[in-house]
Amino acid sequence: ETSRSAHASPWVDISVPLRDGMVHWPDNPEVRITRSQDLDKGDDANVSDLSFGAHSGTHVDAPVHFVKGAEGVDALSFDRLMGVARVLEIRDARAIQVEELKAHAIQPGERLLFKTANSARRWPSKPFQPDFVHLSLAGARYLAELGVRTVGIDYLSIGSPDEGVPTHRALLDAGICIIEGLDLSQVRQGTY
């Protein structure tokens, strides 16, 4: 058996680190990270105070986020978030539409991560962008009919500001796990 140290890591980190003052959904709590104890100020340890909404940075939308009485993120099966995933590069600069999804021959049970024009915008370091690329409601219904397992997107929401609730409901009601706030800027289309 050969050592992995001579090879590239098999892991690709696509999470967005939380930082003080980073972009957040407009009506959600701001991201605040401050030092409450500091070695440089004579304290015995460095301790940070964290304050942010659960939908900051890279996060999972639990069913309870949009479905009254549904399960929380703590009840989701790990197989939703771990395993083979396929990154799809989306060409449409406005929305992920059914026509483009059909071109990817999506199979039931797949984990799909959508790399859109949002990735090129370097969104984590910018103010909120209301014109982000999102999954259309028709696209969400199509993926629900196909029975995909998980969808992820490279912005703070899978749904547009106008159709966010029905888009989320179409996915969550079908048992599809939603991952938002991914950093796919350094990832190419393919299976991982």
Side-chain angles (χ1 to χ4, degrees):
E1 190 171 305
T2 60
S3 169
R4 284 202 177 270
S5 62
H7 304 289
S9 170
W11 296 95
V12 179
D13 184 356
I14 57 174
S15 64
V16 173
L18 292 176
R19 65 174 177 74
D20 187 59
M22 76 181 294
V23 64
H24 61 282
W25 196 259
D27 67 355
N28 282 202
E30 293 182 30
V31 178
R32 292 286 169 237
I33 303 172
T34 56
R35 280 273 166 91
S36 58
Q37 294 180 32
D38 195 324
L39 289 170
D40 290 338
K41 293 180 180 176
D43 294 322
D44 291 335
N46 285 322
V47 177
S48 295
D49 182 36
L50 308 174
S51 175
F52 54 90
H55 296 89
S56 302
T58 305
H59 63 275
V60 173
D61 276 358
V64 73
H65 184 40
F66 283 97
V67 181
K68 189 175 183 175
E71 61 189 4
V73 70
D74 59 317
L76 291 178
S77 171
F78 280 122
D79 76 337
R80 302 288 179 174
L81 303 168
M82 298 175 67
V84 175
R86 188 157 57 122
V87 174
L88 304 180
E89 288 190 15
I90 302 299
R91 291 182 301 275
D92 192 313
R94 292 183 50 237
I96 304 166
Q97 304 288 355
V98 173
E99 297 75 27
E100 191 166 4
L101 291 171
K102 285 182 177 179
H104 290 286
I106 296 166
Q107 299 299 307
E110 278 197 278
R111 295 177 196 87
L112 303 173
L113 307 179
F114 300 119
K115 181 178 182 178
T116 72
N118 298 329
S119 286
R121 293 179 178 180
R122 305 284 189 218
W123 67 267
S125 61
K126 305 260 174 87
F128 181 77
Q129 305 286 317
D131 63 341
F132 62 91
V133 183
H134 59 276
L135 178 62
S136 68
L137 178 55
R141 289 176 175 154
Y142 175 73
L143 294 173
E145 288 173 16
L146 288 177
V148 301
R149 179 188 317 242
T150 300
V151 295
I153 195 162
D154 54 357
Y155 203 68
L156 293 173
S157 179
I158 193 94
S160 73
D162 295 334
E163 292 187 326
V165 173
T167 298
H168 280 83
R169 288 294 306 260
L171 297 168
L172 294 171
D173 287 345
I176 299 171
C177 182
I178 302 170
I179 308 169
E180 298 171 331
L182 295 171
D183 177 2
L184 298 173
S185 61
Q186 303 301 310
V187 180
R188 294 183 179 177
Q189 179 166 290
T191 300
Y192 295 84

